[in-house]
Amino acid sequence: MTIDTVGFDADDTLWHNERYFHVAQQRFHDLLAEFAEPHTTEEVLLQAERRNLMLFGYGVKGFVLSMIETAIELSDGAIPASQLQLIIEQGKELLAHPVELLPYVPEVIGELASTHRLVLITKGDLTHQETKIATSGLADLFWQIEVVNEKDPATYSRILGRHSIDPSSFVMVGNSLRSDILPVLDIGGRGVHVPYEITWSMELAVAEDHHDFVSIADLSELPEVLARW
Ligand SMILES: [Mg+2]
């Protein structure tokens, strides 16, 4: 079956995201330097993020709360309120960061919008995601936009079902094997992996060779991949 609907992840697929988190995390390590080694801070923060994911979901707000929790834990409660304030400010900065599109994004999305139905599927803070979508200048090119809590097979099945999309005519394009590719292969769709310069530890995964899955260096290669299918 030929592909008629193309799903796109947003963060680190259409625009930069993880690099800002990375910078925030480096600053957080510096902030806690008097209490812990950077690798300890990194580890304890990751544990907090894992623990909190079910409660806060993905996105900046959960990240900030996990940093605060980590700071309190590693300082044994001695962290001054002024430093907690810095962590909160850091989070606000992350939320206010302008959207920076990745290479080839406007051209390729513009081109494909005339030949395919495009669906944006992204997870994270609802308000933040909606703001980014609105300011990206791309919103009108998408047929459907879905902000979800988790990207698992059930979520993809629900979205495809709601819009009457046959999984065998659907391909998902994204930077995360774990969230964008594997669950879609699982329900009978196809995947195009476009790795980003950094992968968040929680998104790490490996994919075995699969005939419905390809990896490309950047979005400029996407139209050709779709034409081949
Ligand atoms: Mg992503």
Side-chain angles (χ1 to χ4, degrees):
M1 197 154 179
T2 55
I3 299 293
D4 57 38
T5 310
V6 186
F8 281 92
D9 167 55
D11 288 340
D12 300 320
T13 297
L14 300 181
W15 48 69
H16 289 284
N17 175 64
E18 193 55 37
R19 63 153 70 152
Y20 309 129
F21 278 85
H22 189 73
V23 170
Q25 201 161 327
Q26 296 303 315
R27 287 199 208 147
F28 181 62
H29 293 169
D30 294 344
L31 193 88
L32 288 191
E34 60 177 300
F35 303 110
E37 295 292 327
H39 71 270
T40 308
T41 305
E42 191 179 350
E43 207 178 294
V44 174
L45 176 61
L46 186 62
Q47 283 165 11
E49 288 183 277
R50 281 219 173 92
R51 213 168 45 233
N52 290 334
L53 201 55
M54 290 294 287
L55 299 167
F56 305 142
Y58 293 91
V60 172
K61 284 183 282 183
F63 178 58
V64 169
L65 290 169
S66 295
M67 283 198 288
I68 291 174
E69 215 176 279
T70 301
I72 293 169
E73 184 182 332
L74 288 176
S75 70
D76 236 337
I79 188 107
S82 59
Q83 276 174 285
L84 294 181
Q85 185 64 41
L86 288 176
I87 296 171
I88 293 167
E89 293 304 327
Q90 185 97 49
K92 287 183 183 171
E93 255 177 61
L94 277 173
L95 288 168
H97 215 285
V99 170
E100 262 185 277
L101 297 180
L102 282 157
Y104 310 107
V105 166
E107 302 92 304
V108 171
I109 298 293
E111 179 187 337
L112 293 178
S114 63
T115 52
H116 295 74
R117 295 186 303 190
L118 307 186
V119 184
L120 187 67
I121 306 174
T122 179
K123 68 175 159 40
D125 293 321
L126 181 61
T127 314
H128 191 207
Q129 291 297 327
E130 285 185 338
T131 306
K132 287 198 274 192
I133 293 163
T135 54
S136 70
L138 302 171
D140 289 345
L141 297 169
F142 285 92
W143 172 56
Q144 302 290 342
I145 293 174
E146 300 277 351
V147 182
V148 296
N149 262 331
E150 185 55 277
K151 286 171 139 180
D152 52 16
T155 305
Y156 285 105
S157 283
R158 205 164 51 238
I159 293 171
L160 298 196
R162 189 160 59 229
H163 303 301
S164 306
I165 302 163
D166 184 333
S168 64
S169 69
F170 176 75
V171 62
M172 182 70 191
V173 181
N175 72 297
S176 169
L177 287 171
R178 180 181 161 274
S179 294
D180 304 319
I181 308 300
L182 298 176
V184 174
L185 295 178
D186 213 55
I187 62 160
R190 291 177 242 193
V192 176
H193 184 220
V194 199
Y196 183 68
E197 59 197 30
I198 321 165
T199 302
W200 182 31
S201 316
M202 302 246 295
E203 294 287 357
L204 290 174
V206 282
E208 283 160 27
D209 277 349
H210 195 295
H211 59 284
D212 287 332
F213 156 69
V214 290
S215 200
I216 57 177
D218 59 57
L219 277 195
S220 68
E221 298 174 35
L222 182 60
E224 205 196 302
V225 169
L226 296 179
R228 235 177 18 231
W229 269 334

